[in-house]
Amino acid sequence: MRRRSSDSAEEDEIRNAIPAEPTTPNHDEKRRSFTSAKYDVRRHSDTLDRRKAEKIITPVTFIPNGSIAPALQQAPPKLLPLGSDQNANKMQESRGRRRSRLQTPWSISLLTFSATILAVILLFSIIHSFLSRQVDSKGCDMCYTREIIYIEFRDFDTEHTRFATKYSLHIIREEGFDEDPKVKGVPVLFIPGNAGSYKQARCLASEAAQFYASSIQQDPKALKDGVTSLDFFAADFNEDFTAFHGQTLLDQAEYLNDAVAYILSLYHDPRRSQRDPGLPDPSSVILVGHSMGGIVARTMLTMSNYQSNSINTIVTMSAPHARPPVSVDADLVRTYKEINDYWRRAYSQTWANDNPLWHVTLLSIAGGGLDTIIPSDYASLSSLVPATHGFTVFTSSIPNMWTGCDHIQTTWCVQLMKATVRSISETLDVHRPGQTKPRAERMRIFKKWFLTGMEAVAEKSLPQKEPTTLLTLEDNSNAIMSSGERFVLRKFGTTGKPKAYLLPIPTQRLLGTKKFNLLTNKHIDDVGDHGHLEVLFCSVFPLQSGQSAALFSMDLDLSDGASGSTRLACKNAASDAILLPASTRTSVHAYDKAQPFSYLEYRLDDLSEHKYVAIVDKAVEPSPGWVIAEFSDNSESVLPTTLGLRRLLAFGMRLKLPTNRSLVTEVQIPALHSSLLAFNLVLGKQACGADAELFTPLLRQYLNEPHESRYFVNVKEANITLHGLAPFMPPPLRAQAAHEGVSLQIWSDPTCNSSISISLKVDIPGSMGKLVMRYRMVFAAFPLLVIALVLRKQFQLYDQTGIFVTFSESMHLCLRSSLPLLILVLSFLALSLAASSSSSPKPSSSGWFHWKSNGTESAVDFTKNDLLLGSQDPIFWFLVPLFGLLSVGICVVINYVALGVTWLLSIPYGLLTARPSWQKNEEA
């Protein structure tokens, strides 16, 4: 610690009272005469300090605990004779104590030390929780390719774009499949993310080439429908940083619009294209963006050099659409706001002709909790795009994938590459200039490939189908189940011949109260397949024999030639089959390499025109397998809970599924919607023998918006985490989506005749790790605020006393006064902001964006969660003092680390600058 060179005014008077002895300047003093100016400056500063000290009315005293307090006003002490030993000893002792405390920067008060220790323990617990608790397992398979060929377009130069010297464009080919640089398919442009490489497109391009060679090229129907190969292009941004600089984002978007125009021109040049001359030239390009590349893709449509309708399909992977990943650049924040405002304003238009994005479909794929680079909450489109034009899906929801991905895995995960390539290929139609099917059809295809099929927005194909199978049965068949009876088949082929089992569909008066569920461990056959199981929805066929061949593609006669028979016109349900991860006693993870279960789910209004459900066992010899089918009542299979969040956190939730339960039970928990909380779920064991158990319990945890599903097989315990309401996220366009909460779907064997208990409790240590990704910028901003307060206190004391106290002493003073007051004020402010954010907006007849025309009730304030904690739930007010305490500990630790580094560096410096003893003696 630095203190003034002069003592108190009383000590100066004593010093001045002692007569100075005359001295004669010697030779050494003459040699040092050049430093007289330095000594004059020091005497001048001492005079200023003495003048400053004389102006202080109340002297400052340092008390033993390290704080500074004003001394009691009293008369100046009476000067004692200089020879008084008692006075001299007291002055010497007091001065020594002051120097010992003021001059060492390593001192720390008990209060500061206690706060630092507590903060370090909490910080260690948060980091440990983030790294080891509530962490998803990784199930992605690595992609392996042949040699990839990257062909650069060198003629895409400054004549086409002003960024030709900065960026470049490549086309990607795979050796053995397609090595010709000429374009021949539908153009797809890959956009890398922040510091990303254009070579990250190799797995997508390889999967597309292999899929075309092995499947599409061998399928005449697909070729006739307009499906063809994909030409993958990739932009090389030289690993530019787009996450930290707004202008770089705009530069890349401008360059890519020029690249799109150049790519489309290649298909017009016969020398560089091998397309069928009878097909229309492409007028649009499909965009695939990774990370910040997805934001660049959306930015392209807002630029002045964007060609209208040149982009109609955008697929993004781990892209932070809702807000910037790091808010350190004002240009980036402003650019984000302009982009998102443009998209919201476009989709708020009443008429399609006024919406420049009406033809665009946007798919956002999020990796989930494994992504530690960008919070997957930011990938949500709920505040930007209506459900008719785009949606967000998590990789754990994608059928046959059922696993999360980290940030980089989304570029090479085989399961994700297959779903992406197959979905894009199915949207193609080379007979149209846009090269893709209409927007509504593209949305239906993306939902089929990426959603589970159990979402509210999922579309069933059965009502739109025509009967394709004529089922003929004996009139005296005893395979018709009684109404309300559950069908259970434990083994296939027991009769030695195909057999149909009929379940009567309930009458119309029960519409809306029941639904049909079927679960099996076998694949459900489509028309013409030769498997073990086929599920048909049938109605009575009134026509005579001999008229069926021209009307049905399949005639399934199970009457054995009997004269009296019943004919049913049936629709095959294979296209609506939902794949679920297999759950057996040997299952460990949902992504295990096992044959998945097949599940059918219909509401009664989807079956209104049918009379029977026909479950056909086509096996002719005994084979393992099982089927369970039933009509369940919604009042028994859906269990809504009314627990509030506070009660859920305090006491948890306990339920018991009855013995006579349905095949699937859904537990709705509206209070559980925050992404900051983690829970532990314990499922009691069902008392069922090894021989009688068809399958072990299967759990699906899901949110409706965004579409996040997580599966737990052979479940006994499960970690419940979600990406629901997250800090700093803008509110969704559909206000009801924020209050639906999480739901738990449980498939359990109803034939065991045993109850199952469910226990749900909050995992406090696991919840602490959720703060890292959601509040990482707060961990940087709050310490800066603490440092500013400490510096303010240091300069304030220096202005009052002339003594510049150490960082630790100033921290101690702040902990006793300003910091608690500031934290208290910020806590009340957080409560106020959360209360105002969670309150419903007042309805308005119109607004700037005319939100009522797009189905919303009122204008939405998309910036209401940008301040302080950014939370909509007042229960998280305690995070303000928590972050304040952590910031104090971080600042103190950094201070002592800096002191330690300085001390270590001073040792070699002292050794290097030390002078020999003989030189010191000569100077003396």
Side-chain angles (χ1 to χ4, degrees):
M1 176 177 301
R2 183 179 176 184
R3 58 182 298 234
R4 296 185 304 173
S5 58
S6 62
D7 293 318
S8 61
E10 292 82 4
E11 294 175 355
D12 291 339
E13 293 177 5
I14 295 174
R15 187 186 298 110
N16 294 335
I18 301 176
E21 296 182 1
T23 58
T24 304
N26 54 23
H27 179 69
D28 293 337
E29 291 179 352
K30 290 181 180 180
R31 285 196 309 171
R32 295 193 296 268
S33 61
F34 67 93
T35 62
S36 59
K38 174 182 176 182
Y39 298 143
D40 291 339
V41 172
R42 181 175 179 179
R43 286 194 298 270
H44 179 66
S45 63
D46 290 346
T47 305
L48 292 177
D49 287 342
R50 284 196 298 271
R51 291 176 182 175
K52 191 172 184 179
E54 290 173 359
K55 294 180 181 179
I56 298 177
I57 301 176
T58 304
V60 174
T61 304
F62 285 83
I63 59 180
N65 63 359
S67 62
I68 303 176
L72 297 175
Q73 295 185 3
Q74 55 185 2
K78 183 178 181 180
L79 294 180
L80 298 176
L82 293 177
S84 175
D85 295 337
Q86 181 180 3
N87 184 64
N89 292 338
K90 289 182 178 180
M91 291 180 58
Q92 188 74 14
E93 183 179 357
S94 175
R95 189 179 307 170
R97 285 197 302 265
R98 283 178 56 185
R99 286 199 184 100
S100 65
R101 288 198 58 81
L102 298 180
Q103 293 179 354
T104 172
W106 295 94
S107 62
I108 184 172
S109 67
L110 180 60
L111 177 60
T112 306
F113 179 77
S114 303
T116 303
I117 292 298
L118 182 58
V120 169
I121 294 174
L122 288 173
L123 186 61
F124 175 80
S125 301
I126 290 174
I127 296 176
H128 179 266
S129 173
F130 174 69
L131 296 176
S132 61
R133 294 185 66 94
Q134 297 276 351
V135 177
D136 298 336
S137 57
K138 296 183 178 181
C140 275
D141 297 331
M142 171 68 77
C143 77
Y144 294 95
T145 65
R146 302 184 183 183
E147 184 177 351
I148 300 297
I149 305 172
Y150 303 94
I151 305 171
E152 182 179 355
F153 292 98
R154 298 188 179 276
D155 56 340
F156 183 48
D157 51 18
T158 53
E159 294 184 1
H160 299 86
T161 176
R162 63 191 182 104
F163 296 104
T165 58
K166 185 178 180 181
Y167 305 134
S168 58
L169 182 67
H170 301 257
I171 189 171
I172 303 176
R173 300 299 190 192
E174 184 173 7
E175 184 178 312
F177 289 100
D178 188 4
E179 303 177 18
D180 192 347
K182 291 185 178 181
V183 296
K184 55 184 70 67
V186 174
V188 179
L189 176 59
F190 177 81
I191 308 172
N194 179 65
S197 170
Y198 67 98
K199 295 182 178 180
Q200 291 175 323
R202 63 184 181 274
C203 288
L204 266 176
S206 173
E207 179 61 33
Q210 296 179 32
F211 179 65
Y212 176 75
S214 61
S215 297
I216 298 177
Q217 206 168 17
Q218 315 301 326
D219 188 353
K221 182 179 183 304
L223 296 174
K224 183 179 179 180
D225 292 341
V227 182
T228 186
S229 61
L230 298 174
D231 293 328
F232 263 89
F233 299 83
D236 181 10
F237 293 136
N238 296 314
E239 301 182 2
D240 221 343
F241 293 95
T242 51
F244 305 99
H245 193 211
Q247 187 57 47
T248 301
L249 183 70
L250 297 176
D251 292 347
Q252 292 184 2
E254 180 182 342
Y255 171 81
L256 290 177
N257 276 329
D258 295 334
V260 167
Y262 174 80
I263 290 172
L264 294 177
S265 69
L266 296 177
Y267 292 84
H268 302 166
D269 188 352
R271 297 170 300 174
R272 313 187 71 169
S273 174
Q274 291 184 348
R275 282 174 60 92
D276 185 352
L279 296 175
D281 293 328
S283 62
S284 68
V285 176
I286 299 173
L287 301 183
V288 178
H290 174 250
S291 187
M292 290 298 294
I295 310 305
V296 176
R298 288 180 48 229
T299 308
M300 292 170 61
L301 283 77
T302 68
M303 302 295 291
S304 58
N305 66 333
Y306 167 68
Q307 295 183 8
S308 179
N309 297 328
S310 61
I311 299 170
N312 62 19
T313 303
I314 303 176
V315 179
T316 66
M317 304 171 179
S318 300
H321 291 288
R323 60 177 296 108
V326 286
S327 304
V328 296
D329 179 60
D331 286 343
L332 181 64
V333 176
R334 183 175 61 253
T335 301
Y336 249 88
K337 184 179 184 306
E338 293 174 354
I339 296 169
N340 290 347
D341 287 346
Y342 177 87
W343 279 67
R344 292 172 183 140
R345 189 164 51 248
Y347 285 119
S348 68
Q349 302 301 318
T350 305
W351 304 105
N353 292 336
D354 299 329
N355 182 3
L357 306 177
W358 182 258
H359 62 290
V360 177
T361 56
L362 176 58
L363 172 64
S364 176
I365 304 173
L370 291 176
D371 192 344
T372 57
I373 304 298
I374 291 178
S376 290
D377 308 278
Y378 293 1
S380 174
L381 299 175
S382 59
S383 64
L384 297 169
V385 179
T388 55
H389 290 73
F391 61 91
T392 304
V393 64
F394 284 72
T395 57
S396 57
S397 304
I398 301 176
N400 277 326
M401 184 170 180
W402 300 315
T403 181
C405 290
D406 65 30
H407 197 67
I408 304 300
Q409 281 180 338
T410 53
T411 62
W412 56 255
C413 182
V414 170
Q415 298 95 315
L416 180 58
M417 299 300 101
K418 289 181 181 295
T420 303
V421 168
R422 283 157 174 75
S423 62
I424 292 178
S425 297
E426 193 170 337
T427 63
L428 301 182
D429 186 357
V430 294
H431 303 108
R432 300 168 59 92
Q435 302 297 291
T436 59
K437 294 179 173 64
R439 175 190 55 80
E441 184 67 12
R442 296 198 304 271
M443 285 296 300
R444 186 192 63 79
I445 293 171
F446 282 137
K447 290 176 182 178
K448 183 187 74 172
W449 280 98
F450 288 97
L451 298 186
T452 65
M454 293 174 282
E455 293 83 1
V457 297
E459 301 177 6
K460 301 295 184 182
S461 62
L462 186 70
Q464 286 77 37
K465 281 185 175 182
E466 295 294 331
T468 56
T469 302
L470 179 63
L471 179 62
T472 305
L473 302 173
E474 295 181 27
D475 283 340
N476 58 353
S477 174
N478 57 1
I480 300 179
M481 312 291 292
S482 60
S483 180
E485 182 181 359
R486 176 185 293 130
F487 170 74
V488 179
L489 180 65
R490 293 184 176 272
K491 198 171 186 179
F492 286 89
T494 55
T495 61
K497 62 179 181 179
K499 184 176 181 179
Y501 303 88
L502 300 183
L503 276 70
I505 296 177
T507 57
Q508 293 289 325
R509 59 185 177 85
L510 297 176
L511 286 178
T513 62
K514 286 184 176 292
K515 63 180 180 180
F516 173 75
N517 300 309
L518 181 144
L519 183 67
T520 178
N521 63 343
K522 291 292 185 180
H523 174 72
I524 299 178
D525 290 349
D526 204 345
V527 177
D529 292 345
H530 302 285
H532 291 80
L533 176 65
E534 190 167 350
V535 180
L536 306 171
F537 289 85
C538 307
S539 56
V540 177
F541 184 59
L543 298 182
Q544 299 297 323
S545 177
Q547 296 179 321
S548 60
L551 298 177
F552 300 97
S553 59
M554 175 62 65
D555 188 357
L556 189 58
D557 190 350
L558 304 180
S559 63
D560 291 334
S563 57
S565 60
T566 300
R567 295 179 179 84
L568 301 176
C570 304
K571 300 179 181 179
N572 189 284
S575 59
D576 290 332
I578 299 168
L579 297 181
L580 297 178
S583 180
T584 63
R585 289 198 170 186
T586 60
S587 301
V588 179
H589 300 106
Y591 53 81
D592 291 341
K593 307 304 180 184
Q595 180 179 345
F597 289 172
S598 297
Y599 176 64
L600 289 175
E601 181 181 74
Y602 290 100
R603 299 186 304 270
L604 277 191
D605 52 358
D606 295 327
L607 310 177
S608 57
E609 61 183 47
H610 305 289
K611 187 174 182 180
Y612 296 103
V613 179
I615 302 174
V616 184
D617 174 10
K618 301 193 297 183
V620 295
E621 58 184 24
S623 59
W626 51 264
V627 182
I628 302 178
E630 66 179 10
F631 285 92
S632 60
D633 198 324
N634 288 338
S635 61
E636 298 177 355
S637 60
V638 179
L639 305 177
T641 61
T642 58
L643 291 176
L645 181 58
R646 290 166 179 79
R647 184 174 178 82
L648 187 63
L649 295 177
F651 305 103
M653 183 190 72
R654 286 180 173 84
L655 293 174
K656 195 168 186 178
L657 302 184
T659 302
N660 57 343
R661 61 184 177 275
S662 303
L663 169 64
V664 56
T665 304
E666 180 173 340
V667 181
Q668 299 175 347
I669 315 175
L672 209 170
H673 53 250
S674 175
S675 61
L676 295 176
L677 296 174
F679 288 80
N680 288 328
L681 183 137
V682 178
L683 205 65
K685 184 178 180 180
Q686 56 182 4
C688 199
D691 296 333
E693 186 178 51
L694 297 179
F695 65 98
T696 56
L698 170 65
L699 171 67
R700 173 190 174 226
Q701 167 213 321
Y702 75 93
L703 285 172
N704 281 323
E705 192 173 328
H707 299 297
E708 180 186 20
S709 294
R710 300 174 67 228
Y711 292 93
F712 303 90
V713 297
N714 192 19
V715 59
K716 300 177 182 66
E717 296 182 356
N719 295 326
I720 305 299
T721 59
L722 59 145
H723 294 81
L725 290 182
F728 308 111
M729 284 289 293
L733 295 175
R734 189 172 65 92
Q736 293 81 2
H739 306 287
E740 292 176 350
V742 74
S743 295
L744 305 176
Q745 262 186 315
I746 303 171
W747 287 266
S748 60
D749 188 352
T751 64
C752 287
N753 294 321
S754 63
S755 61
I756 298 179
S757 61
I758 302 175
S759 175
L760 183 69
K761 293 183 179 180
V762 63
D763 182 7
I764 295 178
S767 300
M768 296 176 68
K770 306 305 174 186
L771 300 176
V772 175
M773 291 302 297
R774 276 76 178 189
Y775 285 110
R776 54 184 180 178
M777 291 303 297
V778 173
F779 283 100
F782 262 66
L784 294 178
L785 177 61
V786 172
I787 291 175
L789 288 176
V790 172
L791 290 176
R792 172 184 172 275
K793 178 62 69 175
Q794 286 179 304
F795 284 107
Q796 184 182 25
L797 290 175
Y798 181 78
D799 185 60
Q800 293 176 357
T801 66
I803 300 173
F804 198 83
V805 298
T806 62
F807 185 90
S808 60
E809 292 192 34
S810 180
M811 176 68 76
H812 171 81
L813 296 175
C814 291
L815 286 174
R816 295 185 58 185
S817 55
S818 55
L819 265 176
L821 180 61
L822 177 64
I823 290 176
L824 182 63
V825 172
L826 291 179
S827 299
F828 279 107
L829 180 60
L831 280 170
S832 175
L833 291 174
S836 62
S837 177
S838 59
S839 61
S840 58
K842 297 180 180 180
S844 57
S845 57
S846 62
W848 179 260
F849 296 135
H850 303 284
W851 290 108
K852 290 192 70 174
S853 62
N854 201 34
T856 56
E857 296 180 356
S858 61
V860 182
D861 181 12
F862 294 99
T863 62
K864 66 179 183 178
N865 297 327
D866 289 350
L867 300 177
L868 203 54
L869 294 177
S871 175
Q872 304 179 30
D873 202 325
I875 200 172
F876 295 111
W877 66 268
F878 67 89
L879 291 179
V880 173
L882 175 64
F883 290 139
L885 179 62
L886 293 175
S887 301
V888 168
I890 292 172
C891 293
V892 173
V893 170
I894 291 176
N895 171 58
Y896 282 100
V897 169
L899 288 176
V901 172
T902 304
W903 179 77
L904 291 176
L905 293 177
S906 67
I907 295 176
Y909 177 80
L911 295 176
L912 293 174
T913 58
R915 290 177 293 179
S917 58
W918 60 267
Q919 184 176 357
K920 294 181 181 179
N921 294 334
E922 181 181 351
E923 291 181 357

